[in-house]
Amino acid sequence: MTKLATEITLFGTSISPGIAIGKPYFFCWKDDKVPEFVVSEEDIEQEIERYHEALRLCRDEIRVLQKKLKDELIQEGAEIIEAQLHITQDPLFTHTMEEEIRSSKKNAEAAFKKVIQRYQDRFHSLKEPFFRERFKDIQDISRRIILYLRRSIRFSLAEIPKDSIIVSSELSAIEAAEAKKGKVLALLTGKGSSTSHAAIVAKARGIPFIANIDLKALHADVDFLIVDARKGVVIVNPTDETINSYKALSSDISLRFSKLIEKPTLSAETFDGYKIRLSANLEMASDVDSLHEHGPLGVGLFRSEYIFLPKKEFPTEDRQFEIYRDIVQKMRGLPIVIRTFDVGGDKSIQDLPTLQKGNPFLGCRALRFLLREREIFKAQLRAILRAALYGEVSILFPMVSSLNEIKEAKLLIEETKKELDLKGVQRADRVRIGCMIEVPSAAIIADLIAKECDFLSIGTNDLVQYSLAVDRANHDMQGYYTPTHPGVIRLIKLVVAEANLKGIPVSVCGEIAADPRFTSLLIGLGIQELSLASRYIPVIKNAIRSTSIIDACKLAEKALSLSTAEEISDLLTEEYKNSVPEDLHFISSSM
C-alpha cells in the first residue's frame, strides 16, 4: 500500500478539549470464535468454578483501575468505575451464568457468549440512551471475562507505546480509565457522545477526545496525527509546517493556563467593578478539599444523588446526615447548595420500576419521583436540615415543571421540621429554598415560581434539551443541540427578568457556565452567579475580568436581536476573541 503523503483533515464531535500530536494506535478487541464443547456431568461444578475465577480476576482488574483514578483525585471517574464493579455482581454475571452452564452442559465461554447475546438482543430493542450505555458496560466486562476464561494474553490501554493517539470504533469507561496520561495523548472513536461514561472519564482526566470520526480514512500506514479537540478536527499526515504550528500553539496554551492558575485570589469582577459570584459544582464529598485551591469558592450545586448512584440504593437518613455534615464543615463557612436527588433520565435505578416506564427523561424523574416516594424525600430533607446547623446550606429542587410541585415540596420541608422537633433532634431554623429551571414550562412561569423561592438556578443542559426536543445523549442529534438557539437565550432572559422583579438572584449551572465565550453574554442577561466544575474556574474568572458590565449588556442586547443559533455563536466567539485575544484554547473552538 502506498503511504499517504497528502495532509487530510477529518471532522468529528469534540468531547473533551485539548491538542495532541502523536502516532495513531489502532485499538480493537479481536472477536475470535469462542470454543464450544459439551461438559460432562461430573465436571460442571468445576466449569462453574472456572468461570467464577475469571469473574474474580475481572473484578480485581477493575478495582486496580478504580484505585488509580482515586489516586489521581478523579472522583467522578472512580465512581463510574465503581458502578462497573456493581455490574459484575448483577445476577446476569452470577446466577444466570451458573444456570446456563448447568442447563446447557456447555463450557463457560460458550455459555457466557449465549447469555450475553440474549441480553444484547433485549438491549438493542430499547431506545433510551441510558440502557444503550449500560449494555456498553456489560459488553466491555464480558469481553474481559472471556479473555480470562481463554487465558488470552491480557492487553490494555495501559500497555501501549508512549505518545500514542488511540483510534477505536468505541471506548468504554474502563478503557478510558486505563489510558495512561503521557502515553495516551488523545482518544479518537467512530462512535460516541459527550454524555457517555468514557466521555466523562476522559474529561475528568483532561484527555483530548473526538468522537464520530470517519475511521475509514485512517489507515494502518498513517504515521502521524494531530488532534485538535477544541474544534473536533483531526489532521492526518500533517506537514512539518502544520506540526510546528500546533506545537507552538499547544505550548502557548499550557503556558497561559498555568499563569491563570497562579492567581487564585483575584476577585471575579469586571474591569469596571461589577462582581460575579463563582461557585463550584460538586459530585463527591472527597472533592471539597480541592475547591479551596481556586480561592474562596462556595458550592453552587452539590449533586446529592452521586452519593448513592454507584451502589444503586438510597442511604439512610443518618448516613446522609454524616455525609452532608462533613461536607458543610469542610466548606469553612462558605455557602453550599444541596440539590435534592435527581434520579431518572440517564441516572436510573434498576430496582425502582417507576423510573423505568416509557421515556425516563419524560417520566417519573427528579422532584416528581421524590413527591411520589415521600419517605425517601423526607429522609433526605431531615438529613439536610440537621446538617445545616454546621454552616450556610441551601436546598435546591430539580426538574420543577409546575407551581404545585414547589409548593408541595415546601410543605414537606415544614413537615420534616416538625418531625425533628418532636424527636428533639436539633436542626437549622431556616434554609434558603431554590428551584432549578430546566424545562420551558418552569421558565415561562418563572414569575410565579420566583414568589416561592429565595433563588433560581438555570440548568442549561436540560433546558436546551427540552426546549429544542433534542436528546443530548444521541450523537446523531448533536447538530441540533445548540445552546445559542435564540429560543434558549430568550428563555434565560425571561427567567432573569422575572426573578429581578421579585428581588431574587439567578445562577447558571449548566455546561455553558464553564464556556468563557458565554460569560459576557450571561452577565449581560443579568446572571449573578455561575456554578461550574472547579477546573474551569481560572478561565471563567479571566473572562469576567476581561469584560465590562456595559459591554456585556450591549452583547446581550445584540444577541437577543439575532435570528439564528449560528449568528449568535459567531457573535460570542468574535466578542470573546476581541476581549481575551490571548486565550487560544477556546477562540478556535466551534460551538
Side-chain angles (χ1 to χ4, degrees), residues 556-571:
E557 185 178 354
K558 178 68 181 295
L560 288 166
S561 72
L562 298 177
S563 305
T564 68
E566 292 75 18
E567 289 175 326
I568 297 175
S569 176
D570 291 344
L571 172 67

Side-chain angles (χ1 to χ4, degrees), residues 444-574:
I444 292 169
I445 62 167
D447 58 327
L448 303 177
I449 291 176
K451 293 178 182 178
E452 301 293 330
C453 297
D454 299 300
F455 66 99
L456 299 179
S457 181
I458 302 176
T460 54
N461 296 352
D462 275 322
L463 186 61
V464 174
Q465 174 172 247
Y466 291 116
S467 299
L468 305 183
V470 176
D471 178 1
R472 58 191 171 100
N474 184 346
H475 70 267
D476 292 330
M477 295 290 103
Q478 290 293 308
Y480 295 95
Y481 184 84
T482 51
T484 54
H485 190 287
V488 175
I489 305 302
R490 293 182 185 191
L491 283 176
I492 295 174
K493 177 60 178 176
L494 173 63
V495 173
V496 173
E498 297 298 345
N500 284 344
L501 289 174
K502 303 301 182 295
I504 65 171
V506 181
S507 67
V508 167
C509 62
E511 287 185 6
I512 67 173
D515 189 330
R517 293 164 299 182
F518 281 88
T519 303
S520 189
L521 172 65
L522 293 173
I523 293 172
L525 291 172
I527 296 297
Q528 295 105 323
E529 179 179 353
L530 300 174
S531 187
L532 54 149
S534 59
R535 60 183 291 195
Y536 297 109
I537 292 288
V539 172
I540 299 304
K541 186 184 292 185
N542 187 56
I544 294 170
R545 294 178 61 84
S546 300
T547 190
S548 70
I549 186 61
I550 295 175
D551 289 341
C553 289
K554 287 180 179 178
L555 176 64
E557 185 178 354
K558 178 68 181 295
L560 288 166
S561 72
L562 298 177
S563 305
T564 68
E566 292 75 18
E567 289 175 326
I568 297 175
S569 176
D570 291 344
L571 172 67
L572 299 189
T573 299
E574 187 62 28

